[in-house]
């Protein structure tokens, strides 16, 4: 079963007097457990595809399937439920809540999900912070953590709901090369141990090198779709 599938997807944005086509006739399927990078220069359509996969945006034409269910015409409220239940997000700017500690940031999605048992929330958050190697930093706020540590908190937050799919938009962009490599090694380890599907958008060569499958975009079209043996 595919985790996410796009069929004949086009996306155009109205800019001023003109329509700008961001992606053109995108058809692809991502299976459970893949570690996939979507690469290309700025403006190639990477983020647009991630937004459509993540139910943050809808295609102008074409179909979107999550776990083989057609969600193309579902209302935005229903898409929000799919995001909350099935998809985790990791951003280049971390997007942590500055007044909350690391463990409180990781707990936050569980609160939004309606998990009332405070002990269970704290236990799950602690478990995933341990998985990302931050057991000694759970009570620190974001401004007391390095960039790499903040991204680890963001990864724990994305995984704590046990999503079937994690989408990472340029996750190494604000990290130095050493921290970026550590983050990629961590995500690959979690991909293998938890069988969680990871999809990255990137123009970072190092992220491409870690991928087990690489899709290259050019001018909103798929130029190459290659499985990489490691």
């Amino acid at each position: 079963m595919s985790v996410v599938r796009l069929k004949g997807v086009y996306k155009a944005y109205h800019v001023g007097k003109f329509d700008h086509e961001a992606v053109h006739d995108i058809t692809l399927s991502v299976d459970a457990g893949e570690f996939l990078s979507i690469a290309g220069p700025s403006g190639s359509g990477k983020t647009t595809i991630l937004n459509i996969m993540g139910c943050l945006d809808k295609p102008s034409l074409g179909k979107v399937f999550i776990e083989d269910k057609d969600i193309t015409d579902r209302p935005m409220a229903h898409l929000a439920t799919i995001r909350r239940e099935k998809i985790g997000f990791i951003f280049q700017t971390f997007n942590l809540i500055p007044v909350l500690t690391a463990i409180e940031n990781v707990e936050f999605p569980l609160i939004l999900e309606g998990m009332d048992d405070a002990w269970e929330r704290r236990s799950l958050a602690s478990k995933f912070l341990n998985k990302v190697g931050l057991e000694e930093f759970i009570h620190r706020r974001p401004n007391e953590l390095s960039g790499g540590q903040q991204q680890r908190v963001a990864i724990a937050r994305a995984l704590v709901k046990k999503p079937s799919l994690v989408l990472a938009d340029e996750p190494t962009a604000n990290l130095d090369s050493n921290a970026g490599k550590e983050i990629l090694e961590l995500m690959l380890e979690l991909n293998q141990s938890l069988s969680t599907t990871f999809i990255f958008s990137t123009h970072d060569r190092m992220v491409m090198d870690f991928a087990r499958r690489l899709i290259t975009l050019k001018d909103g079209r798929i130029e190459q779709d290659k499985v990489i043996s490691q």
Side-chain angles (χ1 to χ4, degrees), residues 4-11 23-30 36 38 49 52-53 59 61-65 213 215-217 220-226:
V4 59
R5 180 160 55 96
L6 306 183
K7 183 178 180 181
V9 163
Y10 293 74
K11 181 64 182 181
V23 295
H24 180 92
D25 195 19
I26 299 295
T27 295
L28 64 91
S29 180
V30 181
L36 163 69
I38 301 174
I49 290 175
I52 291 172
M53 287 179 165
L61 289 171
K63 296 288 187 180
V64 182
F65 300 85
R213 177 182 172 193
I215 293 174
T216 306
L217 300 180
R221 301 170 187 260
I222 294 178
E223 187 176 47
Q224 176 182 261
D225 186 346
K226 181 180 180 182

Side-chain angles (χ1 to χ4, degrees), residues 24-180:
H24 180 92
D25 195 19
I26 299 295
T27 295
L28 64 91
S29 180
V30 181
D31 292 334
E34 288 204 55
F35 199 73
L36 163 69
S37 285
I38 301 174
S42 296
S44 60
K46 304 185 302 294
T47 299
T48 298
I49 290 175
L50 239 64
N51 286 343
I52 291 172
M53 287 179 165
C55 301
L56 294 168
D57 203 355
K58 291 188 173 187
S60 303
L61 289 171
K63 296 288 187 180
V64 182
F65 300 85
I66 300 291
E67 295 180 345
D68 290 334
K69 294 179 181 178
D70 186 352
I71 55 94
T72 311
D73 297 322
R74 301 288 177 88
M76 292 306 292
H78 184 83
L79 296 184
T81 300
I82 293 172
R83 288 197 304 272
R84 187 175 68 247
E85 293 179 352
K86 298 183 179 298
I87 304 171
F89 295 90
I90 301 168
F91 305 96
Q92 60 177 294
T93 52
F94 316 136
N95 284 11
L96 301 178
I97 300 171
V99 297
L100 300 184
T101 63
I103 198 163
E104 289 168 342
N105 265 283
V106 177
E107 278 187 275
F108 193 65
L110 301 175
I111 294 171
L112 294 179
E113 203 173 63
M115 184 181 287
D116 294 326
D117 188 326
W119 183 88
E120 185 179 3
R121 287 199 314 263
R122 184 56 55 105
S123 178
L124 273 172
S126 178
K127 173 185 174 181
F128 278 91
L129 283 169
N130 287 348
K131 282 184 180 295
V132 300
L134 290 181
E135 56 271 18
E136 297 179 12
F137 302 93
I138 63 173
H139 298 301
R140 294 194 185 182
R141 290 186 170 86
N143 66 356
E144 300 172 311
L145 298 170
S146 69
Q149 289 170 336
Q150 289 184 61
Q151 194 62 298
R152 286 172 181 262
V153 176
I155 293 167
R157 180 184 59 188
L159 291 171
V160 73
K161 301 180 300 178
K162 301 178 182 176
S164 54
L165 173 64
V166 172
L167 301 175
D169 190 9
E170 300 283 6
T172 60
N174 287 322
L175 304 175
D176 62 40
S177 58
N178 287 333

